[in-house]
CSV table of all heavy atoms in Angstrom, one decimal:
chain,number,residue,atom,x,y,z
B,288,GLU,N,29.6,-14.4,3.0
B,288,GLU,CA,28.5,-14.1,4.0
B,288,GLU,C,27.3,-13.6,3.3
B,288,GLU,O,26.1,-14.1,3.7
B,288,GLU,CB,29.0,-13.1,4.9
B,288,GLU,CG,29.7,-13.5,6.2
B,288,GLU,CD,30.1,-12.4,7.1
B,288,GLU,OE1,29.4,-11.4,7.2
B,288,GLU,OE2,31.2,-12.5,7.6
B,289,LEU,N,27.5,-12.6,2.5
B,289,LEU,CA,26.3,-12.0,1.8
B,289,LEU,C,25.5,-13.1,1.0
B,289,LEU,O,24.3,-13.1,1.1
B,289,LEU,CB,26.9,-11.0,0.8
B,289,LEU,CG,26.0,-9.9,0.3
B,289,LEU,CD1,25.4,-9.1,1.6
B,289,LEU,CD2,26.7,-9.0,-0.6
B,290,LEU,N,26.3,-13.9,0.4
B,290,LEU,CA,25.6,-15.0,-0.4
B,290,LEU,C,24.8,-15.9,0.4
B,290,LEU,O,23.6,-16.2,0.2
B,290,LEU,CB,26.7,-15.9,-1.1
B,290,LEU,CG,26.3,-16.7,-2.3
B,290,LEU,CD1,25.9,-15.7,-3.4
B,290,LEU,CD2,27.5,-17.5,-2.8
B,291,GLU,N,25.4,-16.3,1.6
B,291,GLU,CA,24.7,-17.2,2.6
B,291,GLU,C,23.4,-16.5,3.1
B,291,GLU,O,22.4,-17.1,3.2
B,291,GLU,CB,25.6,-17.5,3.7
B,291,GLU,CG,26.9,-18.2,3.4
B,291,GLU,CD,26.8,-19.7,3.3
B,291,GLU,OE1,25.6,-20.2,3.4
B,291,GLU,OE2,27.8,-20.4,3.1
B,292,ASP,N,23.6,-15.2,3.4
B,292,ASP,CA,22.5,-14.5,4.0
B,292,ASP,C,21.3,-14.4,3.0
B,292,ASP,O,20.2,-14.5,3.3
B,292,ASP,CB,22.9,-13.1,4.4
B,292,ASP,CG,23.6,-13.1,5.8
B,292,ASP,OD1,23.6,-14.2,6.4
B,292,ASP,OD2,24.3,-12.1,6.2
B,293,VAL,N,21.7,-14.0,1.7
B,293,VAL,CA,20.7,-13.9,0.7
B,293,VAL,C,19.9,-15.2,0.5
B,293,VAL,O,18.8,-15.3,0.4
B,293,VAL,CB,21.4,-13.5,-0.6
B,293,VAL,CG1,20.3,-13.6,-1.8
B,293,VAL,CG2,21.8,-12.0,-0.5
B,294,LEU,N,20.7,-16.3,0.5
B,294,LEU,CA,20.1,-17.7,0.4
B,294,LEU,C,19.2,-17.9,1.6
B,294,LEU,O,18.0,-18.4,1.4
B,294,LEU,CB,21.1,-18.8,0.3
B,294,LEU,CG,21.8,-18.9,-1.1
B,294,LEU,CD1,22.9,-19.9,-1.0
B,294,LEU,CD2,20.8,-19.3,-2.1
B,295,THR,N,19.6,-17.7,2.8
B,295,THR,CA,18.8,-17.9,4.0
B,295,THR,C,17.5,-17.1,3.9
B,295,THR,O,16.4,-17.6,4.2
B,295,THR,CB,19.6,-17.6,5.3
B,295,THR,OG1,20.8,-18.2,5.2
B,295,THR,CG2,18.8,-18.0,6.5
B,296,LEU,N,17.7,-15.8,3.6
B,296,LEU,CA,16.6,-14.9,3.5
B,296,LEU,C,15.6,-15.4,2.4
B,296,LEU,O,14.4,-15.4,2.6
B,296,LEU,CB,17.0,-13.5,3.2
B,296,LEU,CG,16.0,-12.5,3.4
B,296,LEU,CD1,15.4,-12.5,4.9
B,296,LEU,CD2,16.4,-11.0,3.1
B,297,GLY,N,16.2,-15.9,1.3
B,297,GLY,CA,15.3,-16.4,0.3
B,297,GLY,C,14.5,-17.6,0.8
B,297,GLY,O,13.3,-17.7,0.5
B,298,HIS,N,15.2,-18.5,1.5
B,298,HIS,CA,14.5,-19.6,2.0
B,298,HIS,C,13.4,-19.2,3.0
B,298,HIS,O,12.2,-19.7,3.0
B,298,HIS,CB,15.4,-20.5,2.8
B,298,HIS,CG,16.2,-21.5,1.9
B,298,HIS,ND1,17.5,-21.7,2.1
B,298,HIS,CD2,15.7,-22.3,1.0
B,298,HIS,CE1,17.9,-22.6,1.2
B,298,HIS,NE2,16.8,-23.0,0.5
B,299,ALA,N,13.7,-18.2,3.8
B,299,ALA,CA,12.7,-17.8,4.9
B,299,ALA,C,11.6,-17.1,4.1
B,299,ALA,O,10.4,-17.4,4.5
B,299,ALA,CB,13.4,-16.7,5.7
B,300,GLU,N,11.8,-16.3,3.1
B,300,GLU,CA,10.7,-15.6,2.4
B,300,GLU,C,9.8,-16.6,1.7
B,300,GLU,O,8.6,-16.4,1.7
B,300,GLU,CB,11.3,-14.7,1.3
B,300,GLU,CG,12.0,-13.4,1.9
B,300,GLU,CD,11.1,-12.3,2.3
B,300,GLU,OE1,9.8,-12.5,2.1
B,300,GLU,OE2,11.5,-11.3,2.8
B,301,SER,N,10.4,-17.7,1.2
B,301,SER,CA,9.5,-18.6,0.5
B,301,SER,C,8.9,-19.6,1.4
B,301,SER,O,8.3,-20.6,1.0
B,301,SER,CB,10.3,-19.3,-0.6
B,301,SER,OG,11.3,-20.1,0.0
Side-chain angles (χ1 to χ4, degrees):
Chain B
E288 263 180 42
L289 202 59
L290 203 64
E291 302 272 8
D292 282 350
V293 166
L294 281 172
T295 309
L296 193 59
H298 276 135
E300 290 278 359
S301 66

